[in-house]
Amino acid sequence: MVSEYSQRLERIAAELRRSRLDALIVTAPPNIRYLSGFTGSNAVLLVPADGEAVLYTDPRYEIQADEEVSCAVKVSRKPLLKAVAADLARRRSLRRIGFESGRIRYADYLSLREALPASRALEPQTDLIERLRMVKSDAEVEAIRRSMAIAAEACQKVMASLRPPAREAEVAAELDCQMRRLGAEKSAFETIVLFGEHAALPHGRPGPRALRQGELVLVDVGAVLEGYASDMTRMAVAGQPNERLRRLYRVLLEAQRAALEELRPGVRAGMVDRAARRVLERHGLADCFVHSTGHGLGLEVHEAPRLGKGENLRLRAGMVITVEPGIYVEGWGGLRVEDTVVVTSNGCEILTPLGKELIVL
Ligand code: ZN
Ligand code: ZN
């Protein structure tokens, strides 16, 4: 891993030289972790185009930084951006300084600007590190695979004992607990468990609603392991599914299969979305699919690329993304099936180790 961090830093430094920047101030915690290995909550990373990166953190993290980080570490008692600015003021050769404009608070930006000499230019940068993060290394894919295995096992266990009149919030808590028991650091997002017509809300919140016989169950769950997120959705029904549910679920699986078959290096992200959408359109369900077909994931649960309408970005081997078409009908309920997959040299590999048939409880 140590050499992976220094390789990543070198690639960012090369980007900076190409953009004629002298340094980059990194403020987004996942980006700091990606480049340095530091997992604490308070840090700033200064990456010069030439020379060694420096991680700034406060005394609470001194020991942790020494353990985790292979670049230089500076422990500061003052606001970290002030410490960075003071160093930049001394290093006269660093004049054009990039910063993560989408990842810094406005007040922090203002204090940074104020602390820097007027001769230093602050140049807004977007997605510099996020672009690099899109393609995962083998070690990252393995972390996501293990994170996915934990979420899947928890899902299987909890589904196996799920019966009316369980409550949504209870089941969600049970999933969180199982994932922790299986070794997860935490849940990747607020676990979603929705019953019946409540499942028509793609990101509904589990509440006190109790499961009734005949109702749908939507479970959307993910773990975090070694910082890496996983994400999956499975569906169940309490009792025998009726004809409408069977038909819609078949269409949904067909849409997901169409998207999965589209996945390979060189394909534009928007084409994967189109493949899923076309199946739903053919069945008159286009309006019932209200979100994009998938998203990248890694150190964050939602990251680039987005598999959305008209996205031109071309997929590359090593990208890890979700494929999650859905059908939502207000007043009736919602269906979604979601896998985490990695793009391979000639297609994709599904990392979610569970079947996709509708589970009958
Ligand atoms: Zn999900
Ligand atoms: Zn997702």
Side-chain angles (χ1 to χ4, degrees), residues 173-194:
E174 183 60 31
L175 280 159
D176 292 339
C177 177
Q178 281 290 351
M179 288 195 290
R180 293 292 291 268
R181 282 212 181 103
L182 292 165
E185 285 151 27
K186 58 180 179 179
S187 307
F189 48 88
E190 241 181 89
T191 300
I192 300 174
V193 176
L194 303 170

Side-chain angles (χ1 to χ4, degrees), residues 189 220-221 231-233 295 324 336 338:
F189 48 88
D220 187 345
V221 65
D231 191 2
M232 61 171 281
T233 305
H295 53 88
E324 50 174 312
R336 178 164 70 250
E338 174 180 29

Side-chain angles (χ1 to χ4, degrees), residues 189 203 220 230-233 293-297 301-302 322-324 336 338-340:
F189 48 88
H203 272 189
D220 187 345
S230 51
D231 191 2
M232 61 171 281
T233 305
T293 295
H295 53 88
L297 76 172
V301 70
H302 289 111
T322 68
V323 178
E324 50 174 312
R336 178 164 70 250
E338 174 180 29
D339 286 318
T340 293

Side-chain angles (χ1 to χ4, degrees), residues 24 30 50 67 99 127 157 161-162 168 196-197 210 218 245 248-249 260 263 281 284 308 326:
L24 178 69
D50 292 293
E67 286 170 359
F99 70 100
D127 300 336
K157 279 196 165 139
S161 60
L162 180 53
E168 291 172 344
E197 78 293 337
L218 183 151
L245 173 55
L248 290 178
Y249 196 73
L260 288 168
L263 280 179
E281 262 163 33

